[in-house]
């Protein structure tokens, strides 16, 4: 693997196969049983916070409980569920294999079976004709992570798995095994570059490329067109947010990560931007304004995301929409903005919802995007969340 695709540091930081959902553990020697009574959860939901230390403690409690108790296993759960857990907890996310904990990321990198994780060899001798690069990218075979949209077991969107792995901070030369052959994560990245085309849903693609590619990269994809990150962000900004997946939150997150990376590359990060960067900035700023405008009195965000005000008594829907919206805001807003009362109120409401649903099965997409929103919020305001050790798993939280 050439040095072209080394990980670029940046200043950013379900329905189940059964009806069970991402359920709390009942009997599990691996992560213990920290069940809470419904009365206790309701009482917790009525407790407000008087200072930011208390809010941080509430967030840490929600993250710790979810990590220790919402345990998945390779027999009953699939990649669509498990990879959402990886989004929140990265390479430290564990699943059960015949009752024994294993790292979910390392499991698939080693080529071991996981329902819904489907890969195949990609384009032979991928040559991206990278402009200005004398060490063109030929000589390696790409790897395709296959989509199975609508299954809620496999990959639902282009480059979704790649985006999740990129947010786990894996370098591009990370080894991956497919059918006994050794590949690298960079082979998946190159294949994704080769497969870009007009009209492709690139929300997750943009997240991945922002993590791995220099901002000035240009390449010819399989459609014969010349591509770069700005062209992709322009294409994403032209899409209708309100007709996009999860209210457009994923599209907004991809644009946010790319725009923030671009701004850190400028001599003056506050300088006016143009082209695709400006189009994305306008879309992002509009979404922040509407999120605040449509926020409900209890702190939750609209159950219609950024399209219009709405609220629901369904707790899982509140977690889904408030969680996805906070996830976007936590990545978009500054540390100081995250301390504003309206954002704190949303984070607190999400903690309340986590408390109220401790004994209930939740769809994994709902649960883990909300948890990812909390962890991004927590880490931007106060620094890294500390993973619980084995001793803590024996304690009530």
């Amino acid at each position: 693997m050439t040095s072209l695709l080394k990980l670029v540091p940046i200043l950013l930081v379900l329905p189940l196969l059964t009806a069970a959902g991402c359920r709390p553990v009942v009997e599990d020697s691996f992560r213990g049983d920290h069940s809470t009574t419904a009365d206790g959860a309701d009482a917790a939901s009525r407790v407000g916070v008087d200072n930011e230390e208390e809010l941080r403690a509430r967030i840490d409690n929600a993250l710790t409980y979810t990590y220790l108790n919402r345990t998945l296993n390779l027999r009953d759960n699939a990649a669509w569920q498990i990879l959402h857990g990886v989004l929140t907890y990265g390479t430290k996310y564990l699943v059960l294999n015949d009752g024994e904990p294993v790292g979910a990321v390392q499991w698939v990198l080693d080529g071991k079976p996981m329902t819904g994780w489907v890969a195949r060899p990609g384009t032979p001798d991928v040559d991206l004709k990278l402009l200005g690069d004398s060490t063109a990218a030929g000589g390696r075979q790409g790897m395709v992570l296959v989509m199975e949209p609508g299954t809620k077991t496999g990959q639902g969107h282009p480059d979704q798995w790649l985006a999740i792995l990129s947010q786990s901070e894996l370098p591009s030369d990370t080894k991956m095994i497919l059918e006994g052959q050794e590949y690298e994560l960079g082979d998946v990245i190159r294949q994704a570059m080769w497969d870009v085309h007009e009209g492709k849903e690139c929300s997750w693609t943009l997240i991945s490329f922002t993590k791995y590619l220099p901002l000035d990269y240009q390449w010819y994809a399989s459609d014969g067109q010349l591509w770069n990150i700005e062209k992709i962000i322009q294409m994403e900004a032209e899409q209708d947010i309100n007709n996009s997946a999860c209210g457009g939150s994923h599209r907004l997150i991809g644009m946010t990560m790319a725009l923030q990376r671009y701004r850190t590359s400028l001599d003056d990060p506050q300088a006016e931007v143009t082209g695709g960067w400006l189009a994305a900035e306008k879309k992002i700023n509009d979404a922040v304004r509407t999120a605040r405008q449509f926020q409900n009195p209890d702190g939750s965000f609209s159950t219609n995301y950024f399209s219009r005000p709405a609220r629901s008594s369904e707790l899982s829907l509140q977690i889904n929409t408030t969680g996805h919206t906070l996830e976007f805001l936590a990545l978009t807003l500054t540390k100081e903005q995250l301390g504003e009362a309206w954002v704190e109120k949303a984070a607190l409401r999400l903690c309340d919802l986590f408390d109220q649903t401790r004994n209930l099965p939740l769809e994994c997409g709902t649960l883990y995007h909300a948890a990812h929103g909390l962890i991004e919020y927590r880490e931007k305001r106060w620094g890294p969340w500390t993973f619980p050790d084995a001793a803590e798993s024996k304690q009530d939280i």
Side-chain angles (χ1 to χ4, degrees):
M1 177 61 61
T2 70
S3 61
L4 299 175
L5 292 173
K6 295 296 183 185
L7 181 67
V8 181
I10 59 177
L11 299 179
L12 298 175
V13 46
L14 323 98
L16 288 170
L17 295 178
T18 69
C22 288
R23 64 170 57 252
V25 175
V26 177
E27 294 181 0
D28 183 1
S29 59
F30 156 42
R31 289 189 180 171
D33 178 12
H34 309 128
S35 57
T36 302
T37 66
D39 289 343
D42 287 343
S45 72
R46 294 191 294 269
V47 177
V49 292
D50 297 322
N51 53 60
E52 66 177 56
E53 288 76 16
E54 189 175 350
L55 176 57
R56 181 175 59 186
R58 290 285 305 277
I59 292 173
D60 288 353
N61 184 277
L63 292 170
T64 299
Y65 182 89
T66 301
Y67 182 75
L68 293 174
N69 292 273
R70 298 283 190 173
T71 311
L72 303 182
N73 69 81
L74 292 165
R75 180 193 62 202
D76 301 316
N77 302 111
W80 192 90
Q81 302 156 298
I82 293 169
L83 267 291
H84 275 93
V86 171
L87 174 66
T88 303
Y89 297 112
T91 56
K92 293 186 178 181
Y93 184 67
L94 304 176
V95 294
L96 294 176
N97 176 46
D98 292 331
E100 294 297 321
V102 297
V105 172
Q106 195 60 52
W107 182 269
V108 293
L109 293 179
D110 289 342
K112 296 178 180 178
M114 179 185 290
T115 302
W117 177 276
V118 183
R120 61 173 173 79
T123 304
D125 195 26
V126 178
D127 182 358
L128 296 173
K129 301 183 180 132
L130 302 173
L131 298 187
D133 176 20
S134 60
T135 60
R140 295 195 65 92
Q141 182 160 19
M143 179 193 285
V144 175
L145 299 180
V146 178
M147 283 181 56
E148 295 182 330
T151 64
K152 295 299 180 76
T153 59
Q155 183 173 226
H157 302 272
D159 305 318
Q160 185 178 19
W161 292 170
L162 180 58
I164 289 174
L165 294 176
S166 75
Q167 290 174 90
S168 297
E169 308 300 331
L170 296 176
S172 64
D173 59 1
T174 298
K175 303 304 180 188
M176 300 180 70
I177 303 300
L178 172 61
E179 299 173 352
Q181 299 297 311
E182 186 176 280
Y183 290 76
E184 293 180 352
L185 183 58
D187 299 323
V188 184
I189 300 165
R190 292 184 186 280
Q191 186 69 52
M193 295 169 71
W194 182 247
D195 290 339
V196 169
H197 59 82
E198 288 285 354
K200 178 183 177 181
E201 183 185 25
C202 280
S203 303
W204 289 265
T205 309
L206 189 56
I207 291 171
S208 307
F209 290 178
T210 296
K211 288 285 190 175
Y212 290 108
L213 300 182
L215 287 168
D216 59 355
Y217 250 33
Q218 298 186 82
W219 71 93
Y220 287 102
S222 57
D223 64 355
Q225 292 195 43
L226 184 63
W227 287 90
N228 56 32
I229 290 179
E230 184 180 1
K231 184 173 180 177
I232 293 174
I233 201 173
Q234 176 75 56
M235 186 170 68
E236 285 290 287
E238 291 171 354
Q239 305 307 306
D240 183 354
I241 290 296
N242 296 322
N243 287 325
S244 302
C246 298
S249 58
H250 300 295
R251 186 153 264 149
L252 290 164
I253 286 169
M255 290 190 290
T256 288
M257 294 175 73
L259 179 61
Q260 289 189 352
R261 165 94 185 283
Y262 176 68
R263 281 203 168 278
T264 62
S265 73
L266 301 175
D267 292 336
D268 177 9
Q270 302 304 316
E272 292 186 6
V273 294
T274 60
W277 307 111
L278 178 60
E281 185 172 71
K282 288 180 177 178
K283 208 87 167 186
I284 291 164
N285 290 341
D286 284 347
V288 172
R289 282 193 293 270
T290 55
R292 184 173 187 176
Q293 178 185 352
F294 299 158
Q295 186 177 25
N296 294 312
D298 65 358
S300 65
F301 290 115
S302 170
T303 51
N304 277 316
Y305 293 100
F306 309 99
S307 62
R308 61 185 185 276
R311 60 186 305 174
S312 170
S313 61
E314 183 183 341
L315 297 182
S316 62
L317 181 57
Q318 289 187 47
I319 295 174
N320 186 295
T321 53
T322 300
H324 276 85
T325 304
L326 183 66
E327 185 181 30
F328 157 63
L329 293 172
L331 291 166
T332 300
L333 300 179
T334 65
K335 175 181 177 180
E336 291 71 28
Q337 289 171 323
L338 293 180
E340 293 177 4
W342 70 282
V343 192
E344 283 195 342
K345 191 173 184 180
L348 175 59
R349 177 57 183 160
L350 197 53
C351 290
D352 290 343
L353 292 166
F354 269 68
D355 286 342
Q356 292 177 67
T357 56
R358 281 191 171 192
N359 292 320
L360 303 177
L362 293 171
E363 183 205 42
C364 290
T366 292
L367 173 69
Y368 287 117
H369 277 293
H372 188 228
L374 287 177
I375 206 167
E376 290 288 349
Y377 180 94
R378 191 256 193 252
E379 293 191 346
K380 184 176 281 189
R381 283 200 69 182
W382 301 297
W385 173 70
T386 302
F387 278 82
D389 60 24
E392 287 180 277
S393 70
K394 301 300 182 183
Q395 301 171 2
D396 287 335
I397 56 176

